[in-house]
Amino acid sequence: MSSVLVVMETVSNGSALHRMSLEALAAGRKLAAELGCACEAVVLGNNTSSLAATVAGKGVTAWSVEHAQLENYTADAWCAALQQLIEEAKPQFVLFAHTYQARDYAAKLATRFGEVLIGDVTHIRVDAGTPVFTRQWMQGKLNAEYRHPAGTCFVSVQAGSFPAGDDASAAAGDVKSFTPMLDSAAIRTIPGKPFREAVQTVDLSSAPLIVSVGRGIGEQENLKLVEELAAALGAELAASRPICDAGWLPMERQVGSSGQTVAPRLYLAVGISGAIQHLVGMKAADTVIAINKDPDAPIFDVADVAVVGDLFEIVPALTKAILAQKAS
Ligand SMILES: Cc1cc2nc3c(=O)[nH]c(=O)nc-3n(C[C@H](O)[C@H](O)[C@H](O)COP(=O)(O)OP(=O)(O)OC[C@H]3O[C@@H](n4cnc5c(N)ncnc54)[C@H](O)[C@@H]3O)c2cc1C
């Protein structure tokens, strides 16, 4: 019988589950429910029984895959261990959260089964018993649908696309142990310091008003335009990733899949294209106003108010109008 296997990722030296894995688990459970098959999950590491029990508590059978060579993540060890587990458990679908780690090894694992990875999936529907996976092309301007004909299907799911949530009525599942055979000579990488995601010293998640700036601002010195707008509105200033990567604003002001997730009353996006990695961080905003000179920018798909035009004309005029309104 077919089943869905969700690969859970851990953080903080294997002591906690990655938040995006809980979303992948939600996606896996939903897919399994729609296909009428079982959902299982796997936690890899050197001491995984307690996290596996936590996962089983969410109503799925959880595999605890332990080995000294899994103490730290390496693509070689993860691929070898998961290949052996998949051969044992024989799932039809293997789901990952689309994290940096999964991007590193999931496609390589898929090729061991002669398959490809359907990466960065934002939507899954079941059409006459066949799952249809949606992923975006061309910075969100096109949606492509994928069906997998036969064999093991490997899929990674985008952050924010499948809300994590527990089913309170689900009975806890079993924990099964699996010890892979891993040869240290076959593990070619020496793990370095893990990538550090944005440090959260500014809490944008509770800000009611956010003005967010993207690469359309052009130069660092132009940021004063949006700073003045944010000040006039009494809003927090946020940014897309390129602005923070360039060091123009601190990392904690980044919104998106590798930054903060926000849900303000108003999100005013200035010169932001609306890549999926940005949208997942702000699409819960009550009202989105977007200013962009490209009428086809994907940000307009989630905008309540679309302002097509040059930000260098619109933003100063808007700031002036807000200040005039306040003064009157
Ligand atoms: C693993 C991974 C994680 C990522 N995480 C994040 C994340 O957390 N957050 C994030 O934001 N991105 C993230 N990204 C990057 C993301 O894919 C996009 O590259 C990024 O969001 C684009 O930023 P942008 O919209 O500012 O720039 P661009 O895509 O370059 O868009 C600039 C926009 O400005 C408009 N514009 C230009 N000039 C003007 C003008 N004068 N007036 C009005 N409009 C103008 C253009 O039409 C364009 O739409 C991630 C990418 C990867 C691969």
Side-chain angles (χ1 to χ4, degrees):
M1 175 167 152
S2 69
S3 69
V4 176
L5 176 70
V6 183
V7 182
M8 306 298 287
E9 189 171 320
T10 61
V11 291
S12 308
N13 279 339
S15 63
L17 295 167
H18 194 299
R19 66 177 166 91
M20 283 169 61
S21 286
L22 299 173
E23 297 176 4
L25 187 63
R29 289 174 55 126
K30 183 167 174 287
L31 174 61
E34 288 180 22
L35 293 173
C37 68
C39 182
E40 302 189 339
V42 51
V43 186
L44 297 96
N46 192 19
N47 182 7
T48 53
S49 50
S50 137
L51 272 191
T54 303
V55 173
K58 297 179 184 302
V60 296
T61 298
W63 291 91
S64 170
V65 176
E66 287 184 336
H67 195 286
Q69 296 292 343
L70 298 172
E71 172 78 30
N72 292 304
Y73 165 76
T74 61
D76 287 335
W78 252 238
C79 279
L82 282 169
Q83 181 178 1
Q84 292 168 38
L85 179 70
I86 290 166
E87 285 164 359
E88 164 83 16
K90 298 187 173 47
Q92 193 183 349
F93 300 92
V94 181
L95 262 61
F96 311 82
H98 194 72
T99 58
Y100 289 101
Q101 190 176 100
R103 288 157 65 93
D104 190 45
Y105 77 90
K108 169 182 155 104
L109 175 64
T111 61
R112 293 196 172 187
F113 293 85
E115 300 289 347
V116 295
L117 174 72
I118 306 175
D120 225 348
V121 164
T122 56
H123 184 72
I124 304 174
R125 67 183 169 86
V126 174
D127 178 16
T130 303
V132 181
F133 304 99
T134 305
R135 64 188 300 270
Q136 297 191 331
W137 282 6
M138 302 180 75
Q139 296 279 7
K141 290 192 175 170
L142 290 176
N143 281 336
E145 291 194 331
Y146 294 75
R147 286 174 167 80
H148 189 74
T152 314
C153 175
F154 294 83
V155 173
S156 68
V157 297
Q158 177 55 253
S161 301
F162 300 89
D166 288 341
D167 175 359
S169 64
D174 295 334
V175 175
K176 294 187 190 173
S177 293
F178 182 80
T179 307
M181 309 262 284
L182 297 178
D183 174 6
S184 57
I187 297 167
R188 298 163 298 173
T189 38
I190 299 168
K193 207 170 153 217
F195 174 79
R196 188 168 57 87
E197 304 230 334
V199 181
Q200 208 158 309
T201 52
V202 177
D203 184 13
L204 293 177
S205 63
S206 56
L209 304 174
I210 293 178
V211 172
S212 194
V213 58
R215 192 146 48 184
I217 199 71
E219 304 283 340
Q220 184 172 15
E221 64 193 35
N222 298 334
L223 280 180
K224 61 179 182 303
L225 291 179
V226 280
E227 284 166 354
E228 285 163 7
L229 175 58
L233 278 170
E236 282 285 354
L237 190 60
S240 65
R241 179 166 164 171
I243 300 298
C244 299
D245 278 353
W248 294 359
L249 283 175
M251 292 301 285
E252 65 260 32
R253 296 207 176 263
Q254 179 180 317
V255 168
S257 61
S258 48
Q260 296 207 40
T261 301
V262 298
R265 280 194 286 117
L266 172 68
Y267 190 86
L268 205 167
V270 180
I272 293 177
S273 60
I276 183 68
Q277 294 88 356
H278 189 81
L279 297 187
V280 297
M282 47 64 72
K283 65 183 183 186
D286 287 344
T287 301
V288 175
I289 300 177
I291 303 171
N292 198 303
K293 67 179 185 185
D294 174 6
D296 296 323
I299 191 77
F300 289 142
D301 294 342
V302 298
D304 300 282
V305 179
V307 184
V308 180
D310 186 347
L311 72 88
F312 295 103
E313 291 171 16
I314 295 163
V315 170
L318 186 57
T319 307
K320 201 171 152 193
I322 292 165
L323 292 175
Q325 175 73 25
K326 278 183 162 177
S328 65

